[in-house]
Amino acid sequence: MTKTYKLKVLAGDGIGPEIIKETYKIIDWINATSDIIIETSEGLIGGCSIDKHNSPLTDETLDECKSSDAILMGAVGGPKWDNVAYDIRPEAGLLKLRKSLDLYANLRPAKVLDALIESSALKPEIVKGLDILIVRELTSGLYFGTPRAIEDLDNGEQKGIDTCTYTTSEIQRVARVAFETARKRSNKVTSCDKANVLATSKLWRQTVTELHKNEYSDVELDHMYVDNCAMQLVRNPRQFDVIVTDNLFGDILSDESAMLTGSLGMLPSASMGGEDMPYLYEPIHGSAPDIAGKNIANPLATILSMALALRYSFDSKALAQKIEEAVSAVLADNLRTSDIMSEGCKEITTSEMGSAIVAKLNG
Ligand code: NAD
């Protein structure tokens, strides 16, 4: 029986529209060949929305997102909007979307494909076969805590203030996602914190330990300080399966893990929230204004984000796997966009890459 899903597509700025265009080729292939139908509708987010509505995400677009089954986003931002008011900057649209949908868990897989092993900043023997997943808390911690201000002091100096807070339930729900996901992978979670210094981290460690004891004792758990984790990720990254950590540490560690795989242009992400809210899928890279409009951006992170949507929102694991295999097969044919180009390979454009994936899917 055919099942229909509603996908809200927010292409955004810079290379966003180019990489989303290629992902549409995959969606068209799914609609033509599989037993699911993906109904798409488009909306504005980021700079393009500021230009039209003076808001990086209108309430109307937000409501349309809420009534869809999943959201696929390109990227937001660029120098054109560097000087807009802080509260309507392009990124504020993305933060509003995450907060409104309560997308508290950000999943970022970092996988080293054999064909791209030479693109990694590390030696092949260290990263060969690497397959890790970072689960980052996304709606609390230092990025959302108040008070937040720059205050004028009597002595003429200024003082910057940020606040980091976490509650037990905020930690429990993201840790639960990590344990559940680990059960479907290699059954190991590393919880990363700074419990030797920070109160929020002390609560984090205590809460994760308790949850593990009560509900997930079948999963292997260890705790690691964030500075050690940053070091271990470059020393011996294959020791990890799932890493769960807070908003700030996750932001940094997930970019570090991205470099283990070689290119920002290859890495998808999924953000998950409450049961009745749609999940958000997006590449981890930004809007790459330096290459926008040149048809050279790598669309694979967005295409792989679509594969995650199939896996987590559209109950279509087999289709997700097919797309992931098509990506590996195209790379094994030595076809590359410029960001992952290496000797002996053929450089192709953004649109040629999208078409090459579809050709593999049809093949
Ligand atoms: P970026 O990720 O856009 O680019 C960093 C470098 O990687 C650039 O040299 C770029 O050309 C390259 N790159 C990125 N994606 C690529 C792809 N798919 N194919 C080939 N090369 C790619 O980060 P940045 O330059 O720091 O930020 C640019 C803009 O994007 C800023 O306005 C920033 O605020 C925004 N941004 C948005 C998001 C998001 O939408 N989630 C995330 C990060 C940055």
Side-chain angles (χ1 to χ4, degrees):
M1 207 182 69
T2 305
K3 197 146 186 223
T4 303
Y5 294 99
K6 283 199 282 180
L7 179 71
K8 189 80 199 164
V9 181
L10 307 172
D13 309 314
I15 60 170
E18 296 166 60
I19 53 184
I20 288 287
K21 191 172 160 205
E22 297 317 303
T23 311
Y24 267 115
K25 291 181 183 169
I26 314 299
I27 295 170
D28 290 344
W29 174 84
I30 293 167
N31 287 344
T33 63
S34 80
D35 58 357
I36 69 164
I37 297 288
I38 301 175
E39 267 176 14
T40 57
S41 66
E42 298 189 350
L44 298 179
I45 190 168
C48 55
S49 179
I50 298 171
D51 288 348
K52 186 148 186 216
H53 302 294
N54 201 32
S55 157
L57 180 71
T58 62
D59 290 341
E60 195 183 19
T61 305
L62 181 61
D63 286 344
E64 289 161 11
C65 288
K66 283 183 181 165
S67 64
S68 62
D69 297 306
I71 303 152
L72 179 70
M73 202 191 84
V76 296
K80 182 178 174 196
W81 303 281
D82 276 353
N83 296 318
V84 299
Y86 185 75
D87 58 330
I88 63 152
R89 70 199 190 284
E91 290 76 12
L94 184 52
L95 292 179
K96 177 176 171 182
L97 187 63
R98 288 175 179 164
K99 195 75 188 169
S100 308
L101 301 179
D102 201 16
L103 297 171
Y104 59 80
N106 180 229
L107 274 60
R108 286 195 185 186
K111 211 170 169 173
V112 172
L113 303 175
D114 278 348
L116 287 186
I117 202 159
E118 296 299 334
S119 306
S120 172
L122 299 189
K123 292 186 198 129
E125 60 267 31
I126 292 186
V127 292
K128 188 169 170 48
L130 180 74
D131 182 3
I132 61 177
L133 177 77
I134 301 213
V135 178
R136 167 189 170 194
E137 200 290 326
L138 205 59
T139 50
S140 188
L142 198 61
Y143 292 6
F144 289 95
T146 51
R148 160 202 309 267
I150 299 179
E151 288 179 353
D152 293 325
L153 300 179
D154 291 343
N155 65 2
E157 278 195 75
Q158 289 188 303
K159 183 162 98 176
I161 303 165
D162 292 292
T163 305
C164 187
T165 68
Y166 270 107
T167 62
T168 312
S169 58
E170 284 171 341
I171 300 167
Q172 278 170 341
R173 64 184 189 172
V174 71
R176 209 167 251 126
V177 170
F179 285 126
E180 294 287 343
T181 319
R183 276 183 176 159
K184 296 181 197 133
R185 295 171 46 97
S186 301
N187 217 31
K188 183 179 173 193
V189 170
T190 303
S191 174
C192 190
D193 59 43
K194 192 73 185 162
N196 50 342
V197 180
L198 301 175
T200 42
S201 277
K202 266 185 210 154
L203 182 68
W204 184 280
R205 189 172 285 218
Q206 181 188 312
T207 306
V208 173
T209 304
E210 199 119 306
L211 183 70
H212 175 252
K213 195 175 106 206
N214 295 337
E215 295 179 35
Y216 295 100
S217 55
D218 57 305
V219 181
E220 190 186 334
L221 169 70
D222 56 15
H223 299 274
M224 201 177 265
Y225 294 135
V226 61
D227 39 347
N228 185 26
C229 186
M231 191 176 71
Q232 295 298 333
L233 271 172
V234 287
R235 198 183 74 90
N236 177 18
R238 280 181 307 208
Q239 69 184 284
F240 298 109
D241 175 26
V242 174
I243 295 174
V244 62
T245 191
D246 81 3
N247 204 341
L248 171 70
F249 300 153
D251 194 1
I252 298 165
L253 292 180
S254 55
D255 269 15
E256 184 185 358
S257 67
M259 281 328 289
L260 302 177
T261 69
S263 171
L264 284 176
M266 290 298 304
L267 294 173
S269 81
S271 299
M272 304 177 165
E275 281 203 353
D276 47 352
M277 286 289 180
Y279 295 167
L280 170 69
Y281 301 88
E282 55 178 320
I284 73 154
H285 59 73
S287 59
D290 52 333
I291 58 166
K294 295 184 178 162
N295 197 21
I296 59 171
N298 186 344
L300 293 179
T302 315
I303 289 172
L304 290 169
S305 298
M306 188 63 223
L308 291 182
L310 287 160
R311 178 171 281 124
Y312 295 126
S313 290
F314 300 164
D315 200 19
S316 307
K317 200 173 151 195
L319 273 176
Q321 211 164 327
K322 255 190 168 170
I323 292 167
E324 287 159 359
E325 282 165 10
V327 168
S328 296
V330 166
L331 295 172
D333 286 348
N334 289 334
L335 299 177
R336 302 277 192 277
T337 43
S338 62
D339 57 314
I340 49 173
M341 184 59 191
S342 63
E343 222 182 295
C345 295
K346 183 177 176 222
E347 189 170 324
I348 59 173
T349 62
T350 309
S351 44
E352 285 168 341
M353 182 57 93
S355 301
I357 303 294
V358 174
K360 276 290 173 208
L361 288 167
N362 284 326

